[in-house]
Amino acid sequence: MEVVMFKAFLIKYGEIGVKGKNRYLFEDALVNQIKFALKEVEGEFAVTKVDGRIYVQAQSEFDYDETVDALKRVFGIIGICPMVQIEDNGFDDLAATVVEYFKQTYKNMNFTFKVNARRARKNYPLDSMQLNAELGHVLLEAFPELKVDVHKPDVLLQVEIRQQINIYSIEIPGPGGMPVGTNGKAMLLLSGGIDSPVAGYMIAKRGVKIDATYFHAPPYTSERAKQKVVDLAKLVARYSGPITLNVVDFTEIQLYIYDQCPHDELTIIMRRYMMKIAEELANRSDCQGLITGESIGQVASQTIKSMYCTNEVCTMPVFRPVIGFDKQEIVDLSEKIGTYETSIQPFEDCCTIFVAKHPVTKPNLNVIRKSELKLAEKIDDMVRKAIDTVEKIEIN
Ligand SMILES: Nc1ncnc2c1ncn2[C@@H]1O[C@H](COP(=O)(O)OP(=O)(O)OP(=O)(O)O)[C@@H](O)[C@H]1O
């Protein structure tokens, strides 16, 4: 689309509008997230909050498509309206701009329209009704194929008389949700798979800031496998904002469990230690919850009984946003958010390397606890060491 005229966007936001006195906190978080998202777009932008509305105004040359794509990743936005903003140079100038706006925005004029003018500034010489009628008339003269429909127009042209004049008619859907930073913080257990990046995306969408923890088992898992997780964290951060990624060296613990415990219980016991360590890291970085990509019944370690056993080691709430999704639904979402291609890169995961041929699908908590007694001597030191030597990678 030829969009030479669009130099600004009106940002529409939904749920955050209903938060009463907290409204400004939500708006400020939204402004911050918009600024963060626009950092990777070429061009300078001013993001401002004026009279309870948020505007993005280009201050230099900019790439329209990239800008819209970046805004589509900001949770809390329900609509992105590309806008023409002009100074008030009298009605004739406004009428000419509206005609030019139609010419540049629509290829053919075989549609119905309605003008919806609003005056926030009452000293404008025409009132809203007069503006609607006059601008409608001007457009019909300029484009005789156009038709007016005041009930169900194909195109609703908004003309807002404020300090400046805003002209817009297109609303590109945003992602919805709430601005990140308005709903606490949680720790995502991020593996290299398909599910956990999607889980992180879904919780961030509700306004939750995210940190991540990855369990790495060198040399059984390669540097490349770790890089894949860093890449996934970067992709999630495009929506969630900056992420601190904790890389835990899990090798010693895994080998020890492998040595001491029945192999059909390995996955469950490893998972329990992952949850324990993730919870401790979460506490240290002020998180109020853990996030995993588990979905009921997907694999042996994700039966309800298995989750009952892994959940038991932590007191923090564990959020499993894809719990009721089929695999294909998770895949669809991962394609939509752009993590799928990276997730399917074939690099080994620590769980798949140490996995038993026939893992228990109905673990008994008492049996698992008994097996873990064999670890008692050394495991606490190992856990402490894993936490103390964690590598922190800042994704921003
Ligand atoms: N190496 C790891 N580091 C961090 N978290 C992990 C790791 N392995 C598993 N998890 C967490 O446990 C969840 C279940 O893992 P599992 O390997 O059973 O499932 P999965 O379906 O392959 O999930 P994913 O696609 O997210 O890897 C993951 O979604 C993730 O949250």
Side-chain angles (χ1 to χ4, degrees):
M1 180 170 40
E2 203 30 40
V3 281
V4 284
M5 295 172 89
F6 294 135
K7 300 228 163 28
F9 299 86
L10 168 68
I11 303 299
K12 291 197 169 168
Y13 43 94
E15 291 180 63
I16 65 176
V18 300
K19 293 287 172 181
K21 277 195 219 144
N22 284 336
R23 181 176 167 141
Y24 77 96
L25 291 175
F26 286 74
E27 288 170 339
D28 289 352
L30 186 53
V31 167
N32 278 340
Q33 290 299 115
I34 292 173
K35 286 182 180 163
F36 177 80
L38 291 174
K39 267 201 328 201
E40 68 174 58
V41 178
E42 225 172 279
E44 297 290 315
F45 299 92
V47 185
T48 50
K49 206 172 88 171
V50 188
D51 306 331
R53 317 187 101 208
I54 292 175
Y55 295 109
V56 173
Q57 285 155 313
Q59 310 284 292
S60 66
E61 289 296 304
F62 73 110
D63 185 314
Y64 174 86
D65 292 331
E66 263 186 38
T67 307
V68 170
D69 283 348
L71 293 171
K72 277 181 175 171
R73 291 193 297 269
V74 179
F75 297 134
I77 295 182
I78 57 164
I80 303 154
C81 303
M83 220 170 41
V84 170
Q85 282 192 310
I86 56 168
E87 299 300 326
D88 178 10
N89 291 319
F91 178 79
D92 289 347
D93 182 67
L94 170 60
T97 309
V98 164
V99 169
E100 188 59 26
Y101 173 93
F102 261 52
K103 213 185 265 173
Q104 294 205 24
T105 308
Y106 301 106
K107 270 207 197 88
N108 68 61
M109 300 292 165
N110 284 319
F111 56 80
T112 60
F113 79 103
K114 172 186 172 180
V115 181
N116 182 32
R118 270 167 293 167
R119 282 189 318 172
R121 184 157 58 76
K122 300 292 175 205
N123 63 0
Y124 195 80
L126 301 179
D127 68 21
S128 308
M129 298 296 280
Q130 288 167 324
L131 273 167
N132 289 343
E134 294 293 324
L135 288 173
H137 179 69
V138 167
L139 281 167
L140 287 170
E141 289 239 303
F143 309 108
E145 319 88 284
L146 282 177
K147 286 194 184 67
V148 171
D149 182 343
V150 290
H151 301 294
K152 268 191 160 186
D154 298 322
V155 169
L156 182 62
L157 177 72
Q158 307 279 4
V159 177
E160 298 176 352
I161 313 285
R162 296 176 175 263
Q163 222 29 51
Q164 289 184 302
I165 301 176
N166 299 334
I167 301 161
Y168 59 95
S169 62
I170 298 170
E171 183 170 336
I172 302 159
M178 317 198 44
V180 171
T182 56
N183 262 327
K185 190 173 171 191
M187 178 66 77
L188 169 66
L189 281 84
L190 182 62
S191 67
I194 294 169
D195 307 346
S196 43
V198 171
Y201 165 90
M202 287 179 74
I203 296 295
K205 187 173 177 193
R206 299 306 305 160
V208 179
K209 190 168 163 41
I210 291 217
D211 272 353
T213 298
Y214 165 58
F215 293 89
H216 189 39
Y220 303 96
T221 51
S222 63
E223 269 307 296
R224 199 56 201 83
K226 174 174 148 189
Q227 186 56 44
K228 175 182 169 184
V229 175
V230 172
D231 293 344
L232 284 170
K234 279 186 189 155
L235 293 172
V236 175
R238 298 175 88 202
Y239 299 91
S240 70
I243 291 178
T244 301
L245 173 65
N246 299 286
V247 180
V248 176
D249 187 333
F250 204 49
T251 313
E252 197 180 28
I253 294 174
Q254 273 195 315
L255 288 176
Y256 189 52
I257 297 172
Y258 192 78
D259 249 17
Q260 303 291 319
C261 301
H263 285 188
D264 60 348
E265 294 168 9
L266 283 180
T267 312
I268 296 292
I269 296 175
M270 278 181 214
R271 220 9 91 58
R272 279 163 64 88
Y273 279 95
M274 281 187 186
M275 299 293 270
K276 244 185 232 183
I277 293 171
E279 183 176 50
E280 177 56 28
L281 292 169
N283 270 319
R284 289 183 185 197
S285 62
D286 221 14
C287 294
Q288 298 90 41
L290 301 176
I291 307 164
T292 74
E294 289 160 304
S295 134
I296 296 176
Q298 195 178 89
V299 288
S301 58
Q302 297 180 21
T303 62
I304 293 248
K305 284 204 165 159
S306 299
M307 281 189 259
Y308 176 79
C309 289
T310 47
N311 206 103
E312 192 254 355
V313 297
C314 37
T315 52
M316 236 181 223
V318 181
F319 304 123
R320 299 178 175 89
V322 300
I323 195 75
F325 281 15
D326 292 342
K327 191 72 190 182
Q328 191 56 46
E329 292 172 305
I330 306 176
V331 165
D332 290 347
L333 199 43
S334 80
E335 281 177 333
K336 183 181 142 205
I337 68 174
T339 52
Y340 183 72
E341 289 302 323
T342 305
S343 286
I344 59 167
Q345 287 171 7
F347 297 109
E348 65 294 325
D349 180 86
C350 61
C351 300
T352 44
I353 286 170
F354 290 88
V355 81
K357 278 205 183 66
H358 302 290
V360 281
T361 52
K362 293 180 183 158
N364 176 312
L365 187 55
N366 290 328
V367 175
I368 297 283
R369 278 189 183 143
K370 210 164 142 204
S371 302
E372 283 181 351
L373 288 177
K374 300 187 196 109
L375 304 170
E377 294 275 294
K378 292 190 197 158
I379 195 85
D380 291 347
D381 284 347
M382 287 181 182
V383 166
R384 208 166 306 123
K385 187 170 146 204
I387 291 170
D388 289 345
T389 59
V390 71
E391 179 192 3
K392 291 199 178 275
I393 302 175
E394 299 301 336
I395 313 279
N396 51 30

